[in-house]
């Protein structure tokens, strides 16, 4: 491991201990990641839905493995920390998941405890977490608990119990996506000894989540989905006779890519 990567991993972990929650925007390709970096974000994640859908693949089926690995390699040269959404690790074998993470030049990974739309045995997911942390102790492993996301065992008791198993296995953070109440979020942040990550939603703005003790707020697939809406809206407006809206210039977008692809 290079000293630069080790430094990025330490810096990424420190972002979870800052004065405000880390707002983690999730990119789906190199251009979207570069745009987020240009806007000043200190870290960028990836979205499995965005990566898969951009390639015409379904999400959460392990079909996006190759695209995810390829994107992680391309984003390694970004000047900020990168964390990658690995779905369920793309394998049931903890050793295979650990080997995959060991090949990725990233600061963090996200591993979910569901496969094909169903929760897996928490012991099985804890084994994946433990294997990754044994092989890659400095990578920030965010263990995702999909109880609320899938509407399966969606309650505090089951969620905390699953999360505690992943923390005991070495998880550095816990991600609980889904529509949670303020009281539920507050309980999670009190009960769990690691940074708690939730999705950005219309229900709880960032300042409120900070008050509730949340340490990381991910956009998930929101930016990707919003970009689709924005693109369609522009095309519709043009079709309806409206003038073209302002946008980032061709030259600026091209220059970002050239800089990433250049020497060093």
């Amino acid at each position: 491991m290079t000293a630069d990567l080790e430094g990025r991993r330490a810096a990424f972990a420190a972002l979870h201990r800052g004065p405000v929650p880390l707002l983690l925007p999730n990119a789906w390709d190199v251009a979207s990641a570069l745009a987020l970096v240009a806007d000043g974000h200190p870290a960028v994640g990836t979205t499995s839905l965005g990566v898969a859908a951009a390639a015409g693949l379904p999400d959460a089926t392990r079909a996006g493995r190759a695209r995810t690995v390829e994107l992680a390699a391309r984003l390694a040269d970004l000047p900020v920390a990168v964390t990658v959404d690995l779905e369920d690790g793309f394998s049931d074998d903890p050793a295979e998941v650990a080997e995959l993470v060991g090949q990725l030049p990233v600061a963090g990974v996200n591993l979910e405890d569901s496969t094909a739309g169903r929760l897996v045995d928490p012991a099985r997911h804890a084994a994946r977490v433990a294997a990754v942390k044994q092989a890659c102790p400095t990578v920030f492993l965010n263990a995702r608990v999909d109880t609320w996301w899938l509407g399966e065992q969606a309650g505090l008791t089951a969620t905390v119990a699953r999360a505690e198993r992943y923390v005991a296995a070495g998880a550095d953070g816990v991600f609980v996506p889904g529509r949670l109440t303020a009281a539920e979020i507050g309980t999670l942040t009190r009960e769990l000894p690691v940074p708690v990550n939730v999705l950005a939603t219309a229900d709880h703005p960032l300042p409120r989540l900070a008050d509730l003790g949340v340490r990381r707020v991910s956009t998930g697939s929101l930016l990707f989905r919003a970009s689709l809406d924005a693109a369609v809206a522009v095309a519709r407006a043009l079709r309806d006779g409206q003038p073209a809206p302002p946008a980032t210039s061709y030259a600026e977008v091209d220059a970002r890519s050239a800089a990433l692809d250049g020497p060093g």
Side-chain angles (χ1 to χ4, degrees):
M1 183 193 309
T2 66
D4 180 60
L5 178 57
E6 188 69 23
R8 291 187 192 194
R9 288 180 174 179
F12 182 60
L15 290 172
H16 295 77
R17 303 188 295 270
V20 296
L22 168 63
L23 189 283
L24 183 73
N26 297 84
W28 56 95
D29 60 10
V30 174
S32 57
L34 288 172
L36 293 166
V37 171
D39 197 48
H41 291 278
V44 172
T46 66
T47 160
S48 64
L49 174 68
V51 173
L57 301 170
D59 186 29
T61 62
R62 301 182 179 174
R65 184 186 191 279
R67 296 282 183 167
T68 299
V69 171
E70 179 184 4
L71 180 59
R74 290 289 290 132
L75 298 184
D77 289 331
L78 290 181
V80 302
V82 173
T83 182
V84 178
D85 182 351
L86 292 181
E87 298 185 11
D88 65 350
F90 305 112
S91 175
D92 296 326
D93 184 345
E96 289 183 1
V97 178
E99 182 180 8
L100 171 61
V101 175
Q103 296 170 355
L104 301 178
V106 296
V109 295
N110 197 78
L111 289 175
E112 59 200 44
D113 67 350
S114 62
T115 298
R118 296 302 302 270
L119 292 175
V120 300
D121 184 334
R124 185 167 123 194
H125 193 60
R128 288 190 288 217
V129 171
V132 169
K133 289 302 294 183
Q134 183 175 4
C136 312
T138 59
V139 74
F140 191 100
L141 193 154
N142 206 35
R144 184 173 127 175
V145 184
D146 276 351
T147 47
W148 259 281
W149 185 251
L150 298 177
E152 187 180 347
Q153 301 179 32
L156 286 168
T157 299
T159 301
V160 170
R162 294 176 81 90
E164 287 177 336
R165 294 194 74 158
Y166 309 151
V167 172
D172 301 287
V174 168
F175 181 22
V176 184
R179 195 162 188 178
L180 286 74
T181 66
E184 290 163 341
I185 294 171
T187 298
L188 290 173
T189 61
R190 288 192 301 272
E191 293 289 328
L192 299 174
V194 297
V196 171
N197 178 191
V198 298
L199 278 176
T201 69
D203 297 328
H204 309 294
L206 197 61
R208 178 59 175 147
L209 292 173
D211 291 341
L212 292 171
V214 171
R215 302 307 308 146
R216 173 165 151 184
V217 181
S218 300
T219 62
S221 64
L222 174 61
L223 303 185
F224 173 73
R225 292 180 287 111
S227 74
L228 297 180
D229 294 342
V232 170
V234 170
R236 181 185 302 120
L238 293 172
R239 182 188 61 194
D240 294 343
Q242 297 180 34
T248 303
S249 72
Y250 173 99
E252 183 173 347
V253 172
D254 193 49
R256 291 173 188 165
S257 299
L260 184 68
D261 201 41

